[in-house]
Amino acid sequence: MSTPTDTSGSFRRRGPRFTDRIVAEPAGDGQWPAEPGRYRLVVSLACPWAHRSLIVRRLMGLEDAISLAIVSPIQDERSWNFSLDEDGRDPVLGHRYLEEAYLARDPEEGTENGVSVPAIVEESTGLLVTNDYPWITIDLGAEWAKYQRAGAPVLYPEGLREEIDAVNEGVFHDVNNGVYKAGFATKQARYEEAYTALFARLDELDERLAARRYLVGDHITEADIRLFTTLVRFDAVYHGHFKCNRQKLAEFEHLWPYARDLYQTPGFGDTVDFDHIKRHYYQVHESINPTRIVPLGPEPSAWLEPHHREELGGSPFGPEGTPPEPLDGPLRPLPPLDM
C-alpha cells in the first residue's frame, strides 16, 4: 500500500472527505437523524481510528441501534474489503469493498481522499453517510442518548469539553498521528522531529497521570478513548515497526498501569484484537516490512496484570454509571497465518 508523504519526507494524513453528522435533531444540510436500524458502522479491528468508534458504540450500548461490519485487516489495491464474510460480501450492504459505499455517495470523487474507516453507511442505499472519525465518536456518545443503555457514561461532558479538546489536540498531533509521522517518514530529519514530539508528549502524559486516574475528570471521557487506541498498539506495532523505540509503553511508570486499567475495563480490552492489529501493519506496509513476517510477541497476558489505579479514586463510568454487558466471544477471529 502506498503512503501519503510529501516532498519533504513528511507523512501527511488526509482528512475525512465526508463530514456529515448523525444527530438527534437534524437542522439542515449535512445532518442525518439518529434513527435505530438505519445505519451500519464499518470498522477495522486493526485501525486505531476505527477502534475508537467500536469502543464508544459498546460503552453506550448501541449494538441494537447501529449494526456492525468488520473488514479484513489486509487491504489490497482497492483498500478495505469484506473478504472475511461469506462470499466476500458484507451480508447487509452487499458490498465487496468499502469503496463501493464511497462511490455510491459520490461517483466522481468519492474516493479522492482514499477509503478510510470508521465509516457509517446507510443500510437501505449502501451509500456512505460520514467518515468524519473525530465527530463519529462524539456523536455516538451524545446524539444517540435516546437509544443508549441505562448506566452509559457521559464521554464528552459539557463542563469538561474545553479541557478534553485541549488534551485531544496534543494527543492527536504528537501521539495518534505522531507514530505515523515517525513510521512513514522518508527523511531522517522528519522522522527525528516526529519521534522527539511523540516522546515529549508521552512524558507529559505520564506525568499528568501520576496523581489522577483518568486524563480529564474522574471517569472515562473521549480523551481516554483516543489515547488508549494508540497505546494498546504501541508495543505490538509502533515501537518496532514504526521505529518509536526510545522505550516501550511497558516501561512508562504511569502510562503503562493507566493503559492496563483501561484495557481491563469492559468496552476496551474486549474490543482489542492483537491478531488483526499485527497482521494489518506487518503485512500491509510492505515498504516498511517487505518480508511480511508477523511477530509473535508481545505476550498479551501482561495487559491483565494488576494496575492498582483504583487507589487514585474515580470510577470508569461515573458515580451512577455501570459497565456494558459482557461480550459473547471474540469479535472476528482470523484463520491461521499461511506457513
Side-chain angles (χ1 to χ4, degrees):
M1 297 291 293
S2 60
T3 55
T5 53
D6 61 21
T7 55
S8 74
S10 298
F11 169 76
R12 300 295 183 191
R13 181 169 298 280
R14 292 171 290 193
R17 169 76 171 79
F18 298 98
T19 57
D20 288 6
R21 293 177 58 191
I22 300 173
V23 297
E25 298 181 5
D29 293 341
Q31 294 192 343
W32 299 60
E35 184 178 308
R38 182 169 179 174
Y39 306 105
R40 191 155 175 82
L41 174 64
V42 182
V43 304
S44 162
L45 300 182
C47 172
W49 316 90
H51 190 185
R52 300 173 177 182
S53 61
L54 188 60
I55 292 171
V56 175
R57 174 180 175 268
R58 177 146 160 65
L59 292 178
M60 297 296 104
L62 293 172
E63 290 92 337
D64 291 337
I66 304 168
S67 67
L68 179 68
I70 298 174
V71 296
S72 170
I74 309 302
Q75 295 166 284
D76 59 21
E77 67 281 354
R78 292 177 65 182
S79 193
W80 301 108
N81 61 76
F82 297 98
S83 60
L84 299 180
D85 288 297
E86 186 176 355
D87 194 35
R89 291 185 183 275
D90 179 80
V92 173
L93 303 174
H95 295 331
R96 289 188 180 275
Y97 288 89
L98 181 56
E99 73 166 12
E100 295 172 56
Y102 280 69
L103 294 173
R105 173 69 183 271
D106 185 343
E108 299 298 324
E109 299 181 350
T111 60
E112 185 178 81
N113 274 20
V115 177
S116 66
V117 287
I120 296 183
V121 180
E122 187 176 40
E123 291 188 358
S124 62
T125 61
L127 62 81
L128 184 78
V129 174
T130 180
N131 69 332
D132 194 349
Y133 58 89
W135 277 104
I136 285 176
T137 51
I138 290 174
D139 288 340
L140 286 176
E143 298 293 334
W144 289 77
K146 184 177 177 181
Y147 309 105
Q148 292 166 5
R149 66 179 180 86
V154 180
L155 299 176
Y156 196 52
E158 289 198 26
L160 297 177
R161 288 182 182 180
E162 185 175 347
E163 186 177 1
I164 291 171
D165 290 345
V167 171
N168 286 346
E169 181 75 8
V171 167
F172 170 79
H173 288 291
D174 298 333
V175 181
N176 300 147
N177 203 38
V179 293
Y180 286 84
K181 289 190 285 187
F184 288 125
T186 57
K187 298 287 179 65
Q188 185 70 30
R190 302 291 82 78
Y191 160 71
E192 292 185 9
E193 288 170 1
Y195 175 103
T196 300
L198 166 66
F199 282 101
R201 184 69 64 181
L202 290 176
D203 287 340
E204 176 189 295
L205 293 166
D206 193 61
E207 183 177 352
R208 180 183 183 94
L209 290 164
R212 56 196 306 167
R213 188 172 180 184
Y214 303 108
L215 285 173
V216 181
D218 59 5
H219 70 273
I220 291 163
T221 67
E222 269 279 329
D224 300 295
I225 294 166
R226 295 188 184 200
L227 179 58
F228 173 78
T229 58
T230 296
L231 294 184
V232 79
R233 290 160 173 78
F234 199 88
D235 289 359
V237 175
Y238 305 140
H239 178 269
H241 187 61
F242 278 176
K243 307 178 186 69
C244 300
N245 61 354
R246 192 195 77 180
Q247 68 194 91
K248 296 177 181 178
L249 172 66
E251 295 166 348
F252 278 91
E253 182 178 4
H254 306 295
L255 274 171
W256 174 225
Y258 161 80
R260 296 202 311 277
D261 186 5
L262 292 177
Y263 184 89
Q264 294 171 35
T265 299
F268 285 80
D270 52 17
T271 59
V272 173
D273 192 306
F274 287 113
D275 194 12
H276 277 251
I277 290 167
K278 290 191 291 185
R279 290 204 206 185
H280 169 71
Y281 284 95
Y282 288 102
Q283 294 199 309
V284 172
H285 301 159
E286 293 186 65
S287 63
I288 298 175
N289 184 42
T291 66
R292 302 180 79 239
I293 298 296
V294 179
L296 294 178
E299 175 52 56
S301 62
W303 285 90
L304 300 177
E305 294 175 357
H307 53 75
H308 306 295
R309 295 283 294 178
E310 65 278 357
E311 297 171 7
L312 295 172
S315 59
F317 306 105
E320 299 181 6
T322 59
E325 292 294 321
L327 289 174
D328 293 334
L331 290 167
R332 179 58 72 95
L334 294 174
L337 283 164
D338 294 333
M339 303 299 288

